[in-house]
Amino acid sequence: MTSTTANPALAADAAEGLWQTPPVLPTKWLYDERGSKLFDEITFLPEYYPTRRETAILAAHAADIASTTDATMMVELGSGTSTKTRLLLDAFAAHAAERGREFTYVPVDVSAEMLAGTAEILAADYPSLTIEPVLADFTAPGLQLPQSDGPRLAAFLGGTIGNFDDPARDEFFSRLSEALSPGDYFLLGADRIKDTGRLVAAYDDKAGVTADFNRNMIEVLRRGLDASGLFVDDFDHIARWNPKLHRIEMWLRARRPINAHLGALGREWQLPEGAEILTEISTKFAPEQLAAELSDAGLPVAETWSDPAGDFQVTLSRR
Ligand code: AVJ
């Protein structure tokens, strides 16, 4: 049977993940159109502090980052038109103008659509900047970055580093270090370990937006796998602190026995009542531990900034 909605990449991930114990699905599938809107909503929730904290840190230190690095290029891993990106671009544009120099913004993303959108919006808002999008998976080996006359600053913001498990993070830092040259910089936003109650609340908000965001994965599966017998209402959102791996984990727990037919895989998928699927990890960091990891990868930390409450941090490493 043919289908207009089946997604082969999702089918491959589902085939690999759904029969594991426990079942897992790559986090990226949370971010379809609805999921991306829900995540945007999450960033405004009273319980979800990371975005506000990171924005405050960048607002306070963007000028500092521009003058310390004296960078002529910012490479953003993930293409952004967010407030955070703009705070940095504002500072770099001003710094470049002062020095009578050019500045180039390089968004790196796997989505050509996202890159084109970013480039169009930012080109309109920042006519003085050169925008040079790179279509690439920045976690893959062999990342090639455009050359620049001056230092380059790679930026990975939002605390998304928390989505990587330990080996993936290690590999990411090493590959990035390899893609950069001595004298280049790396700006990293990371959420810190803190009171468990606050952490869990940030991923299990009162309004239920994070629950909708997580449960939307079931709808993504239903559509992308041409599934029958798969219903969002059959799953509960679970956000749990894993103290050993110091991370929040998001799970989907079956409220009743699940018997689904996954058309795209041509097979049945069963889940007993109470069984859980892992959909996201969000690792939290101790500053010293993260600094040691960066240093081991050849990206020693030159500066660390935090918010007054010490909730979130932004580090600047120099390759
Ligand atoms: C976009 C990965 C930074 O881990 O805090 C928010 C995603 N998931 N609420 C995070 C997320 C649930 C977010 N990152």
Side-chain angles (χ1 to χ4, degrees):
M1 234 198 5
T2 57
S3 158
T4 51
T5 51
N7 177 340
L10 174 62
D13 285 345
E16 187 178 323
L18 288 180
W19 281 269
Q20 287 184 38
T21 315
V24 296
L25 285 168
T27 291
K28 65 175 178 192
W29 298 112
L30 289 171
Y31 295 88
D32 69 335
E33 199 181 334
R34 174 151 189 269
S36 300
K37 284 204 184 105
L38 286 169
F39 175 66
D40 198 58
E41 233 180 278
I42 287 172
T43 65
F44 295 99
L45 292 169
E47 296 96 333
Y48 192 77
Y49 58 84
T51 311
R52 272 189 299 278
R53 295 292 190 250
E54 186 181 49
T55 302
I57 295 166
L58 293 175
H61 301 289
D64 210 2
I65 293 165
S67 60
T68 301
T69 62
D70 204 27
T72 50
M73 175 180 284
M74 175 162 105
V75 177
E76 183 163 17
L77 307 176
S79 66
T81 54
S82 66
T83 309
K84 293 174 274 195
T85 301
R86 287 165 186 274
L87 285 167
L88 290 166
L89 291 181
D90 288 342
F92 277 116
H95 184 77
E98 233 168 72
R99 305 281 159 112
R101 280 201 317 235
E102 307 274 291
F103 189 82
T104 304
Y105 175 64
V106 180
V108 182
D109 206 285
V110 281
S111 161
E113 212 180 316
M114 198 79 90
L115 278 174
T118 297
E120 193 189 347
I121 292 166
L122 292 181
D125 293 350
Y126 293 89
S128 74
L129 301 184
T130 303
I131 302 183
E132 208 176 318
V134 169
L135 183 68
D137 174 359
F138 57 77
T139 62
L143 176 67
Q144 296 279 339
L145 299 177
Q147 295 301 317
S148 188
D149 309 334
R152 299 175 296 186
L153 173 73
F156 191 41
L157 302 174
T160 305
I161 191 65
N163 283 165
F164 296 57
D165 63 13
D166 286 20
R169 193 169 64 246
D170 200 64
E171 192 165 73
F172 168 67
F173 287 157
S174 305
R175 285 175 179 169
L176 180 64
S177 182
E178 229 168 273
L180 296 173
S181 304
D184 286 342
Y185 290 90
F186 175 44
L187 192 68
L188 176 66
D191 198 13
R192 286 179 172 172
I193 297 169
K194 58 181 61 62
D195 172 69
T196 306
R198 282 186 63 211
L199 282 169
V200 172
Y203 293 83
D204 196 5
D205 61 281
K206 278 225 166 67
V209 183
T210 308
D212 285 346
F213 172 68
N214 191 16
R215 292 163 80 221
N216 180 54
M217 184 77 103
I218 297 299
E219 180 55 22
V220 169
L221 282 180
R222 192 192 63 74
R223 249 186 292 123
L225 299 182
D226 235 336
S228 54
L230 205 51
F231 305 101
V232 167
D233 286 350
D234 286 347
F235 291 86
D236 282 324
H237 165 67
I238 307 290
R240 193 183 292 132
W241 174 245
N242 180 330
K244 204 167 147 229
L245 298 173
H246 46 91
R247 67 193 196 188
I248 289 283
E249 296 171 355
M250 294 207 316
W251 298 81
L252 289 164
R253 180 191 290 161
R255 303 175 62 134
R256 53 180 61 84
I258 306 298
N259 275 295
H261 175 75
L262 309 181
L265 300 184
R267 63 192 282 198
E268 312 302 310
W269 179 60
Q270 265 122 12
L271 202 63
E273 178 180 341
E276 298 178 351
I277 314 165
L278 180 63
T279 55
E280 184 176 54
I281 62 168
S282 193
T283 308
K284 308 302 170 185
F285 298 93
E288 324 74 55
Q289 166 69 28
L290 189 56
E293 287 182 20
L294 284 162
S295 176
D296 287 348
L299 297 167
V301 173
E303 298 262 13
T304 302
W305 296 283
S306 186
D307 52 284
D311 284 341
F312 196 94
Q313 68 174 36
V314 174
T315 52
L316 180 67
S317 293
R318 188 163 192 273
R319 163 78 159 81

